[in-house]
Amino acid sequence: MPWQNNGEGDGPPHSDGDDVPAKPTSNRPVNPWGEGPPRRPMGKPGKQGGDFDDLIRRSQERLKTQFGGGNGGGGGGMGGMDLGDSRWLIWGGGAIAAAWIVLSSFYSVDAQSAAVVQRFGAYVETTGPGVHFKLPWPIDAVELRKVEQINIIDISSSEGANENLMLTGDQNIINLAYTVRWKIRNPENFLYELADPEKTVREVAESAMRAEIARASLNAALGPQRAQIADQVRERMQELLDSYRAGIDVRGVDIKQADPPAAVDGSFKDVSAAQQDAQQYLNRARTYAQALVAKAQGDAAAFDAVYAQYKLAPEVTRKRMYLETMERVLSKVDKTIVDAPGVAPYLPLPEVRRRAAAAAEPAPAQR
């Protein structure tokens, strides 16, 4: 296929001897396939092509400004960030790291608490009240526990029931309600040895209480030995928790209620009332018997004293005893006996005494 000259000249292209095509005589490019469609001119600013070039140029300048791209060999993008911006980033990162180290390296413990320090989850030490230093988080972590706080667990009914029924040693049933007071003694054991401390204390308390109630009678559990049972339950709880290495100190057990079951409460009250009446009658009989014994002992002592005087002067003592006896017997009789020979005038002395006493009494007030 012959090459066509798209210039203004008429002749074909020629070579200068080195088989190199000669330049066309016109400034227009040579197209071996013929003259194609006209190309879109890239005009100066103000034309459509020029606006597109200007938009690209302004976008490149904006990117260079935002990412710190310079005119000298650094190139565009993040690699072109200047020295001042990098210094600010370094200083900002250092300040953040320093604040993080300071804030996560110091901790304070109040007067009622203790802190358990863990390093990657393993126990390190236990610290008391005050400000302490540790390695920054997440290397060291701190768990605070209230070691001086008294915790109270109220056990008034079993799960799913309205009564907390227990079997006594004499095969009776009793309904108990009691509270347990405890505190943390060893924070690290409390933290690592028990999964649910409050549930463990509750279950240990119920086990110890049932064991002690099974040794006591119903009457003893209802009143006389209630305090003794509570002390034994506390000691048994402490032994069990120490065997678990729970780190808990049981401060006390208080029995608030000890009653028979609700189904037999009325009959039990009647029996209790009858027992109280019987005890009252026994107390009255004992009191009367003690009074009689005291009177008899007093009479015996008086007789012994009279007998001692009788042995010293029998005649005189006999006459004195006779006169004292007659005075005691005839003191309320309306008679006057004169022990003298002959006849003597009778004076109604008792009647005179009665009239004098009646005259001395005040007259009743008239309305």
Side-chain angles (χ1 to χ4, degrees):
M1 183 176 180
W3 290 86
Q4 296 180 0
N5 186 9
N6 293 327
E8 293 180 357
D10 296 330
H14 61 277
S15 62
D16 295 336
D18 294 333
D19 295 333
V20 176
K23 294 182 178 180
T25 58
S26 175
N27 293 330
R28 297 179 59 185
V30 177
N31 187 353
W33 310 110
E35 187 175 359
R39 301 180 63 183
R40 186 175 182 178
M42 305 296 290
K44 296 181 179 180
K47 298 181 180 179
Q48 186 176 3
D51 292 340
F52 183 73
D53 291 341
D54 186 57
L55 177 63
I56 293 176
R57 179 180 56 79
R58 285 183 297 171
S59 299
Q60 290 177 352
E61 291 178 354
R62 187 178 302 169
L63 290 176
K64 289 180 180 180
T65 303
Q66 292 179 356
F67 292 101
N71 294 327
M78 295 297 294
M81 185 178 298
D82 58 4
L83 185 59
D85 293 340
S86 63
R87 287 180 178 178
W88 278 110
L89 288 178
I90 293 174
W91 279 105
I96 294 174
W100 168 69
I101 292 174
V102 171
L103 294 178
S104 62
S105 297
F106 293 93
Y107 65 96
S108 62
V109 183
D110 58 27
Q112 300 293 324
S113 304
V116 178
V117 181
Q118 305 171 10
R119 183 164 298 163
F120 297 112
Y123 172 74
V124 177
E125 62 177 347
T126 300
T127 57
V131 179
H132 305 277
F133 175 80
K134 66 177 184 64
L135 296 180
W137 186 87
I139 301 175
D140 283 359
V142 176
E143 291 282 347
L144 296 177
R145 290 293 182 270
K146 297 286 186 180
V147 295
E148 298 297 332
Q149 177 180 345
I150 301 297
N151 305 282
I152 298 177
I153 298 178
D154 188 6
I155 304 176
S156 58
S157 62
S158 301
E159 296 182 359
N162 295 326
E163 296 178 318
N164 190 23
L165 302 179
M166 298 184 185
L167 187 65
T168 62
D170 53 357
Q171 303 301 313
N172 287 308
I173 297 177
I174 187 173
N175 180 25
L176 283 180
Y178 54 97
T179 58
V180 178
R181 293 177 285 111
W182 60 277
K183 59 180 288 189
I184 300 175
R185 181 173 59 188
N186 192 318
E188 56 268 23
N189 288 347
F190 180 82
L191 182 63
Y192 288 103
E193 299 294 336
L194 299 180
D196 192 345
E198 185 172 353
K199 183 178 179 181
T200 302
V201 173
R202 175 183 289 272
E203 292 178 352
V204 169
E206 291 183 356
S207 175
M209 181 63 74
R210 292 183 183 277
E212 294 300 328
I213 290 296
R215 300 178 182 178
S217 63
L218 177 62
N219 293 331
L222 290 177
Q225 297 183 4
R226 182 182 297 186
Q228 182 179 356
I229 292 174
D231 292 338
Q232 293 173 352
V233 170
R234 186 194 64 80
E235 294 176 359
R236 188 176 182 87
M237 285 185 61
Q238 192 64 63
E239 292 177 358
L240 290 174
L241 291 173
D242 289 344
S243 66
Y244 297 159
R245 299 184 61 194
I248 291 176
D249 184 16
V250 182
R251 307 299 294 176
V253 177
D254 302 321
I255 298 178
K256 301 187 301 181
Q257 177 186 358
D259 296 327
V264 296
D265 187 45
S267 301
F268 187 84
K269 289 181 179 179
D270 294 339
V271 173
S272 299
Q275 291 176 349
Q276 292 176 1
D277 292 341
Q279 188 66 33
Q280 185 178 2
Y281 294 149
L282 289 175
N283 293 335
R284 290 179 181 178
R286 293 191 185 99
T287 303
Y288 181 70
Q290 291 175 359
L292 289 179
V293 170
K295 185 177 182 301
Q297 291 175 351
D299 294 342
F303 182 80
D304 291 338
V306 173
Y307 179 70
Q309 297 296 326
Y310 179 79
K311 288 192 301 181
L312 296 176
E315 187 65 27
V316 177
T317 305
R318 188 185 301 114
K319 187 175 181 179
R320 180 183 174 185
M321 291 177 62
Y322 170 76
L323 294 176
E324 290 178 353
T325 303
M326 293 302 293
E327 182 182 3
R328 185 172 61 252
V329 171
L330 298 176
S331 61
K332 299 180 181 180
V333 177
D334 192 9
K335 292 182 181 180
T336 300
I337 299 174
V338 179
D339 189 8
V343 178
Y346 170 73
L347 296 176
L349 298 178
E351 185 66 23
V352 173
R353 295 193 189 98
R354 282 196 295 270
R355 290 180 181 179
E361 293 180 358
Q366 295 181 358
R367 297 181 180 178

